[in-house]
Amino acid sequence: YAIDPARIRAELDWQPSLELQEGLERTVDWYLDNADWWQPLQQRAGVGVRLGTDEAAPRKATA
């Protein structure tokens, strides 16, 4: 969806420091250059599990 920054610009005199394309490129480059930071996060519990599904629900113990 689109975000309209008109209000934040008007009320806070805010201006983006980067164009969207450059910001996206810099973000991708950061992740490529810092895999040692984010890759271990992929191993945490719940990562990759879609919330709000049966897969995300805790398992009940069976007797």
Side-chain angles (χ1 to χ4, degrees):
Y1 60 90
I3 296 175
D4 181 4
R7 184 174 176 193
I8 194 169
R9 288 180 183 190
E11 292 184 16
L12 301 177
D13 194 31
W14 175 84
Q15 294 293 321
S17 59
L18 302 171
E19 292 291 325
L20 178 62
Q21 185 66 34
E22 182 181 355
L24 291 172
E25 289 172 2
R26 287 176 60 175
T27 299
V28 169
D29 287 344
W30 186 92
Y31 278 94
L32 291 173
D33 292 342
N34 292 282
D36 57 327
W37 178 85
W38 63 264
Q39 283 181 337
L41 299 176
Q42 298 293 316
Q43 304 308 314
R44 293 175 21 181
V47 172
V49 175
R50 184 173 175 191
L51 299 177
T53 65
D54 289 338
E55 183 181 355
R59 304 276 187 237
K60 292 183 181 179
T62 56

